[in-house]
Amino acid sequence: MAAVNNSSSPITQVSQHAVPAHSNLQPQLLTRLFLDLRGRRFEVDRETIMNLPESVLLCLFPNGLVLSRQSVALSDGGDNEEDEEVYGVDFDPDCFQYVLTFFRTASEAFYGSATSPGLFAAQQHLLDGPQNDFGPAASQNPLLSKQAIIVLREELEYFSIPPKDGDATTDQNGLANDTLIDIKRRSGEYLIDKRNIFTALQRNVNKENNVAEQHLIDMLCMSGFDREDEWGFRALEPSRCCISSIALVLLKTGIIHHPNGEKPVEVDHPQMATAQKLLLFWRKPARKCWWDGIDVDLPASGDAPGKTVKLWARRVWTLELSLV
């Protein structure tokens, strides 16, 4: 038996003849990515990708993403650094642009830009605050040094149940006829217009008297949302009875900046304590699923008469906190 190399490096444990004779075998980190989202190109730098919410990254790259050029380095020595490797992504490009724009705007407002200072410069002294202000040590509270963003996503699958006496049906292979397809389309149009975030969940609370769901609504509305808020982005998924929605808001941390710096930055400690509860969802997205059934009067459309259908919706919420 050949002697085992004591080095822990996986490269040095490979037999010498199996390793290409390149001077640099270390994987080179990508500084930018080229993405093709349903035919629309994006060029995004690595830091921007790393700052995106975990739940969004899972949608963009369900099979994972390697942010290095290891394959290129092993094949051609990494000389073609400018070669574009385009990643095809099945994700709504308008939704992606909404997320990128919100995160960029929030980051510039907090950290400042080349022309104006941000909020962080005015509140840096809070990091040196006494220990009893924010627990063990103020410097350990990430809400003082990072911009916190609440990310709420909804995946809504809907099922239209037409009247039994109608001509909407399926064939022997289970495929919907034109009438049923039209009902599904009109059901989607009905749901897409229901943009209020909390209406469906509040309806479920009122029906089931679910205290935990009411507490979730109250917590979100104390932390940055408003009860009348609408989804920031909402769209039907192509070729599916599914609607994807997302809402982004800045976490209300209780850090008070007075206009024109007329007074020092202050902290509402009860509000900060509420905000710190959301840290439970930092890098740990939480999911909630429930069914919602309502009777819907679909208006007439073209030659199709108005109909009353039973509309079932399976809603999956994903809640996450991002720190930029």
Side-chain angles (χ1 to χ4, degrees), residues 302-320:
D303 296 333
K307 290 181 181 294
T308 300
V309 301
K310 185 72 173 181
L311 195 56
W312 285 97
R314 179 180 181 269
R315 302 173 187 264
V316 179
W317 273 19
T318 304
L319 174 63
E320 180 182 0

Side-chain angles (χ1 to χ4, degrees), residues 33-89:
L33 277 80
F34 299 92
L35 307 178
D36 185 325
L37 277 69
R38 298 177 181 172
R40 185 168 158 189
R41 290 288 187 94
F42 289 85
E43 181 180 345
V44 189
D45 61 73
R46 180 176 181 272
E47 183 179 359
T48 299
I49 288 290
M50 297 300 292
N51 280 332
L52 291 178
E54 296 279 334
S55 55
V56 173
L57 285 174
L58 285 173
C59 292
L60 290 169
F61 312 108
N63 298 321
L65 174 67
V66 179
L67 292 173
S68 71
R69 296 178 60 89
Q70 185 172 15
S71 59
V72 176
L74 290 176
S75 62
D76 62 11
D79 295 332
N80 301 326
E81 295 181 2
E82 299 303 321
D83 288 351
E84 293 186 7
E85 185 174 355
V86 180
Y87 293 87
V89 179

Side-chain angles (χ1 to χ4, degrees), residues 152-207:
L152 183 63
R153 297 182 58 251
E154 180 185 75
E155 293 292 328
L156 186 161
E157 291 184 276
Y158 64 90
F159 306 86
S160 305
I161 313 298
K164 292 183 178 180
D165 56 356
D167 54 355
T169 184
T170 57
D171 61 18
Q172 63 271 19
N173 297 319
L175 300 177
N177 64 5
D178 291 342
T179 303
L180 183 53
I181 290 175
D182 182 68
I183 289 176
K184 291 182 177 182
R185 178 186 59 80
R186 290 156 64 191
S187 297
E189 292 172 352
Y190 170 86
L191 288 171
I192 203 73
D193 289 335
K194 306 302 178 183
R195 300 186 62 91
N196 187 280
I197 295 175
F198 298 108
T199 297
L201 186 58
Q202 189 65 63
R203 183 167 58 238
N204 198 56
V205 169
N206 297 338
K207 181 175 65 175

Side-chain angles (χ1 to χ4, degrees), residues 11-314:
I11 294 180
T12 57
Q13 292 181 19
V14 178
S15 59
Q16 188 64 35
H17 66 274
V19 180
H22 295 315
S23 59
N24 181 15
L25 292 177
Q26 295 298 323
Q28 178 186 2
L29 291 178
L30 293 171
T31 58
R32 64 189 181 203
L33 277 80
F34 299 92
L35 307 178
D36 185 325
L37 277 69
R38 298 177 181 172
R40 185 168 158 189
R41 290 288 187 94
F42 289 85
E43 181 180 345
V44 189
D45 61 73
R46 180 176 181 272
E47 183 179 359
T48 299
I49 288 290
M50 297 300 292
N51 280 332
L52 291 178
E54 296 279 334
S55 55
V56 173
L57 285 174
L58 285 173
C59 292
L60 290 169
F61 312 108
N63 298 321
L65 174 67
V66 179
L67 292 173
S68 71
R69 296 178 60 89
Q70 185 172 15
S71 59
V72 176
L74 290 176
S75 62
D76 62 11
D79 295 332
N80 301 326
E81 295 181 2
E82 299 303 321
D83 288 351
E84 293 186 7
E85 185 174 355
V86 180
Y87 293 87
V89 179
D90 185 18
F91 192 79
D92 193 297
D94 291 331
C95 181
F96 188 58
Q97 185 63 66
Y98 165 71
V99 175
L100 290 179
T101 301
F102 190 98
F103 270 64
R104 181 177 64 252
T105 303
S107 179
E108 290 177 353
F110 187 76
Y111 294 107
S113 62
T115 57
S116 63
L119 299 176
F120 180 58
Q123 67 186 52
Q124 277 186 298
H125 68 279
L126 297 176
L127 295 172
D128 302 322
Q131 293 189 0
N132 58 5
D133 278 359
F134 305 109
S139 60
Q140 297 178 7
N141 182 358
L143 299 182
L144 297 177
S145 58
K146 301 286 187 181
Q147 176 63 71
I149 300 173
I150 305 177
V151 182
L152 183 63
R153 297 182 58 251
E154 180 185 75
E155 293 292 328
L156 186 161
E157 291 184 276
Y158 64 90
F159 306 86
S160 305
I161 313 298
K164 292 183 178 180
D165 56 356
D167 54 355
T169 184
T170 57
D171 61 18
Q172 63 271 19
N173 297 319
L175 300 177
N177 64 5
D178 291 342
T179 303
L180 183 53
I181 290 175
D182 182 68
I183 289 176
K184 291 182 177 182
R185 178 186 59 80
R186 290 156 64 191
S187 297
E189 292 172 352
Y190 170 86
L191 288 171
I192 203 73
D193 289 335
K194 306 302 178 183
R195 300 186 62 91
N196 187 280
I197 295 175
F198 298 108
T199 297
L201 186 58
Q202 189 65 63
R203 183 167 58 238
N204 198 56
V205 169
N206 297 338
K207 181 175 65 175
E208 304 289 343
N209 194 26
N210 191 312
V211 177
E213 292 179 350
Q214 185 63 61
H215 178 69
L216 172 62
I217 296 175
D218 295 341
M219 180 185 68
L220 290 175
C221 291
M222 290 175 61
S223 302
F225 283 98
D226 185 89
R227 294 183 188 276
E228 301 303 319
D229 274 348
E230 297 183 348
W231 295 106
F233 173 85
R234 187 170 175 84
L236 278 160
E237 290 292 320
S239 304
R240 295 177 58 197
C241 292
C242 181
I243 296 174
S244 295
S245 307
I246 187 170
L248 305 172
V249 298
L250 300 180
L251 176 64
K252 190 183 296 182
T253 59
I255 301 175
I256 303 170
H257 291 259
H258 296 280
N260 303 320
E262 58 190 30
K263 293 171 61 178
V265 175
E266 300 175 326
V267 178
D268 181 339
H269 298 302
Q271 181 62 46
M272 175 61 77
T274 299
Q276 286 180 303
K277 295 178 182 179
L278 271 294
L279 287 172
L280 292 171
F281 306 105
W282 177 34
R283 295 178 178 171
K284 297 178 181 178
R287 290 175 176 81
K288 172 177 177 52
C289 174
W290 78 97
W291 285 87
D292 183 35
I294 55 176
D295 292 319
V296 174
D297 293 324
L298 298 179
S301 175
D303 296 333
K307 290 181 181 294
T308 300
V309 301
K310 185 72 173 181
L311 195 56
W312 285 97
R314 179 180 181 269

